[in-house]
Amino acid sequence: MTMTQADAAVDRAAQALASGALAILPTETVYGLAADAADPRAVAALFQAKGRPRFNPLIAHVADLAMGRRVGVFDERAVALAQAFWPGPLTLVLPVADGDAVCDLARAGLDSVAIRVPGHPIARAVIAALGRPVVAPSANRSGRPSPTTFADALEETGVFALAALDGGPCAVGLESTVVALLDDPRLLRPGAVTREQIEAVIGPLAEAEDDARRSPGRMARHYAPQAPVRLEAAAPEADEAYLAFGPGAPEGPRVFNLSPTGDLAEAAANLFAYLRAADRTAPRAIAVAPIPTHGLGEAIDDRLRRAAGFVG
Ligand code: TXA
Ligand code: MG
């Protein structure tokens, strides 16, 4: 695409959103299905398209911190985290500042709001062109793995979108880290920005003991392929597909190595695409190798446990 074609595509997506329609947008984490955050009818259509329960609130995506401040109340900790990690894969849950900027339905009626500045320039360009926040859940149908390629996003929810922008494969491949700053800082969803990185800026994070209540979207079975998922598998059994990790793994037509060198960032970027690829082989189950749980491994482990249908 030439620059002008890209600009025209950004404008068309912004116009689609302004007219109340949905748009597929690339972000650095996963593809999102976007709607104008201030438009309750568009947001209702978004919940409908995903088959998403309405008690599960959405993330407001903003172009920059200034737009974020129109939506949520930033204390010192929030400003420090925004300055450290935005644009990028960190979502902050803050007290709501303007309940109309991100409509009630988008917040599932809560008096808090989730906000992030996406790292992908195309997403930021569309939000800037619209001039106000967009809500953008992952572009999968509810409960399925998040799409990390344009083709996967179109397959999941393309039929519901009036515009769709191809930003290439998602560099991160896992959804943003969600941190609540309502009282003590809490990690609601591990993600690409690690616990260690956040604690280096604002100090210790409390655990979200009851995370289903505090982050309503955190259902036990989520990110799930069609086949059952079996974790901590040293090797595949008959008729199983296998997600391997690291050197010396078995090879075969149904084996997908998340990172032959044992690199967690590479494994994260490949995770959802390889779950889908494994699923396409129609296996009896998808076995998954043990993966370290430090750093980025915490988020990979979280997604795998939910894909398997249980939460630790
Ligand atoms: O990386 C991402 O965050 C992607 C891309 C597209 O930006 N989006 C995404 O959105 O993962 P979604 O809707 O799939 O996940 C939003 C998460 C859910 O777990 C939801 O419950 C939580 O954020 N959330 C949103 N608002 C909240 C709030 N006010 N309090 C607690 N949790 C909230
Ligand atoms: Mg999602």
Side-chain angles (χ1 to χ4, degrees), residues 25 27-33 50 52 55-59 61 89 91 93-94 106-107 110-114 116 118 136-140 146 174-178 180 182 188-189 213-218 222-223:
L25 300 182
T27 86
E28 81 284 25
T29 58
V30 302
Y31 274 82
L33 183 62
K50 278 190 57 99
R52 178 174 176 121
F55 57 77
N56 186 4
L58 304 171
I59 297 171
H61 294 64
T91 295
V93 174
L94 304 176
R107 288 181 286 105
L110 299 174
D111 52 13
S112 58
V113 60
R116 87 176 189 101
S138 46
N140 52 286
S146 301
L174 291 181
E175 303 79 2
S176 60
T177 307
V178 181
L182 301 174
L188 301 187
R189 178 172 76 180
R213 185 175 55 85
R214 307 226 22 140
S215 192
R218 316 250 51 220
H222 205 151
Y223 314 109

Side-chain angles (χ1 to χ4, degrees), residues 99-179:
D100 294 328
V102 179
C103 67
D104 240 46
L105 181 58
R107 288 181 286 105
L110 299 174
D111 52 13
S112 58
V113 60
I115 308 173
R116 87 176 189 101
V117 177
H120 201 300
I122 293 181
R124 285 203 309 282
V126 171
I127 299 162
L130 180 68
R132 53 184 184 270
V134 305
V135 282
S138 46
N140 52 286
R141 282 166 284 127
S142 194
R144 301 252 311 138
S146 301
T148 53
T149 67
F150 186 58
D152 287 343
L154 289 182
E155 183 186 312
E156 285 283 335
T157 54
V159 63
F160 301 107
L162 184 61
L165 297 185
D166 184 351
C170 300
V172 174
L174 291 181
E175 303 79 2
S176 60
T177 307
V178 181
V179 173

Side-chain angles (χ1 to χ4, degrees), residues 46-293:
L46 177 53
F47 275 95
Q48 182 75 27
K50 278 190 57 99
R52 178 174 176 121
R54 290 192 177 205
F55 57 77
N56 186 4
L58 304 171
I59 297 171
H61 294 64
V62 296
D64 50 33
L65 177 56
M67 191 185 280
R69 285 182 184 279
R70 296 186 346 223
V71 175
V73 181
F74 285 69
D75 64 12
E76 273 178 25
R77 303 167 301 182
V79 172
L81 288 174
Q83 282 171 347
F85 299 112
W86 284 357
L90 176 68
T91 295
L92 299 176
V93 174
L94 304 176
V96 67
D98 174 356
D100 294 328
V102 179
C103 67
D104 240 46
L105 181 58
R107 288 181 286 105
L110 299 174
D111 52 13
S112 58
V113 60
I115 308 173
R116 87 176 189 101
V117 177
H120 201 300
I122 293 181
R124 285 203 309 282
V126 171
I127 299 162
L130 180 68
R132 53 184 184 270
V134 305
V135 282
S138 46
N140 52 286
R141 282 166 284 127
S142 194
R144 301 252 311 138
S146 301
T148 53
T149 67
F150 186 58
D152 287 343
L154 289 182
E155 183 186 312
E156 285 283 335
T157 54
V159 63
F160 301 107
L162 184 61
L165 297 185
D166 184 351
C170 300
V172 174
L174 291 181
E175 303 79 2
S176 60
T177 307
V178 181
V179 173
L181 295 174
L182 301 174
D183 36 55
D184 289 342
R186 260 167 229 283
L187 183 63
L188 301 187
R189 178 172 76 180
V193 177
T194 64
R195 174 193 295 277
E196 294 84 348
Q197 288 176 300
I198 293 163
E199 290 186 335
V201 178
I202 57 165
L205 285 166
E207 288 308 316
E209 326 79 35
D210 181 1
D211 78 352
R213 185 175 55 85
R214 307 226 22 140
S215 192
R218 316 250 51 220
M219 277 88 73
R221 189 159 164 84
H222 205 151
Y223 314 109
Q226 309 256 297
V229 174
R230 184 169 76 83
L231 301 180
E232 308 277 336
E237 291 170 2
D239 300 325
E240 284 186 334
Y242 189 52
L243 296 194
F245 179 79
E251 286 178 26
R254 278 180 159 179
V255 177
F256 304 86
N257 197 328
L258 292 166
S259 172
T261 60
D263 175 46
L264 287 171
E266 185 184 23
N270 287 330
L271 180 67
F272 287 132
Y274 285 11
L275 269 176
R276 287 171 185 276
D279 213 20
R280 277 186 211 111
T281 71
R284 186 171 57 77
I286 301 172
V288 185
I291 296 172
T293 56

